[in-house]
Amino acid sequence: MKREELIESVRFQMPAKRWEHTLGVMQTAVKLAGQYGADPEKAELASILHDVCKYWPVEEQAKTLRDVSDPGDWLDYDKELWHAPAGAIVAKERYGVTDEDVLHAIRYHTSGRIGMSLLEKIVCLADYIEPGRDFPGVNNIREIAEHSVEKALVAGFDGTISFLLEKGKRIYPLTVLARNGLIEEIQEAEKL
Ligand code: DGI
Ligand code: FE
Ligand code: FE
């Protein structure tokens, strides 16, 4: 499928406002890829598809997960998380995306995970800081993103974890592992 066809197909699965968010993530992820040395085409492809299922009925998101042989444990946790792994399944099965790094960037864009690749970090961070985002602390994350993807992402996860704590919600274990992993990476890099 050509880039333009893919864009049109994804665009019509979400309201206009959410499509604007996707455009913002595409633009931000491509910029971060240039800045930090990731593949801009992969960053754009993952960004186009990252929220493809976000506005599907939640039952369809769940069904998409249940229909694969290894659904993982997502369904035991907050339904806000489901669109990410469901999106990776749709990217592969419906849109023919085969690149594992791109599929992982979609699958883990909400939760993060331990040992994230540079592409995964960039898509996850772009989702936090695209120009349309406006939550307390976003400008701080944007500033940190000027010099460190890992530090910016820790700041992003800190915000999400605080939000979940405040709401009395559970935290998906991968988010905690992602944060711990990034802090370790930052400490290792600073030892050098
Ligand atoms: O899809 P977006 O709105 O662009 O952003 P996203 O995919 O990062 O989804 C964020 C939502 O997921 C946010 O409202 C917090 C919620 N969420 C629920 N449980 C968890 C979680 N996010 C993370 N990282 N970890 C969780 O355990
Ligand atoms: Fe999302
Ligand atoms: Fe998003």
Side-chain angles (χ1 to χ4, degrees):
M1 188 181 272
K2 287 207 283 294
R3 180 178 178 276
E4 302 313 318
E5 277 176 280
L6 173 66
I7 285 175
E8 286 310 286
S9 172
V10 174
R11 187 220 262 272
F12 290 112
Q13 294 176 61
M14 57 187 70
K17 192 87 194 107
R18 175 62 43 171
W19 177 249
E20 271 176 43
H21 159 73
T22 297
L23 286 174
V25 176
M26 285 159 65
Q27 180 203 324
T28 307
V30 168
K31 182 169 151 251
L32 289 170
Q35 196 177 333
Y36 290 105
D39 182 329
E41 283 184 23
K42 290 187 188 190
E44 191 190 65
L45 179 59
S47 300
I48 294 171
L49 284 158
H50 85 285
D51 278 340
V52 63
C53 296
K54 179 93 180 181
Y55 283 82
W56 288 17
V58 79
E59 236 340 282
E60 272 190 51
Q61 297 178 23
K63 186 179 182 310
T64 304
L65 289 173
R66 275 197 296 267
D67 282 354
V68 292
S69 52
D70 54 342
D73 61 355
W74 304 96
L75 292 170
D76 298 334
Y77 291 90
D78 202 338
K79 59 181 176 357
E80 296 291 326
L81 293 162
W82 302 352
H83 72 284
I89 294 167
V90 168
K92 185 174 180 176
E93 293 184 353
R94 197 177 292 182
Y95 296 105
V97 175
T98 52
D99 188 289
E100 281 298 325
D101 202 14
V102 172
L103 294 172
H104 284 153
I106 300 167
R107 176 172 313 252
Y108 300 107
H109 84 263
T110 306
S111 59
R113 65 161 174 155
I114 190 105
M116 295 170 84
S117 71
L118 179 61
L119 186 73
E120 288 171 58
K121 292 173 187 169
I122 281 175
V123 173
C124 191
L125 178 57
D127 197 21
Y128 275 111
I129 64 170
E130 62 92 1
R133 289 291 204 205
D134 181 22
F135 56 85
V138 68
N139 280 332
N140 178 45
I141 306 176
R142 289 185 177 122
E143 276 170 33
I144 303 172
E146 297 289 327
H147 66 269
S148 167
V149 195
E150 288 78 18
K151 287 182 183 174
L153 211 42
V154 169
F157 285 136
D158 283 354
T160 301
I161 291 168
S162 302
F163 166 83
L164 294 169
L165 290 176
E166 240 168 70
K167 298 263 167 199
K169 288 195 178 192
R170 283 173 305 165
I171 298 164
Y172 188 53
L174 272 190
T175 301
V176 176
L177 293 176
R179 178 178 180 275
N180 287 350
L182 290 165
I183 290 173
E184 254 169 63
E185 273 185 57
I186 293 162
Q187 287 172 344
E188 284 302 315
E190 283 177 359
K191 268 190 215 155
L192 299 175

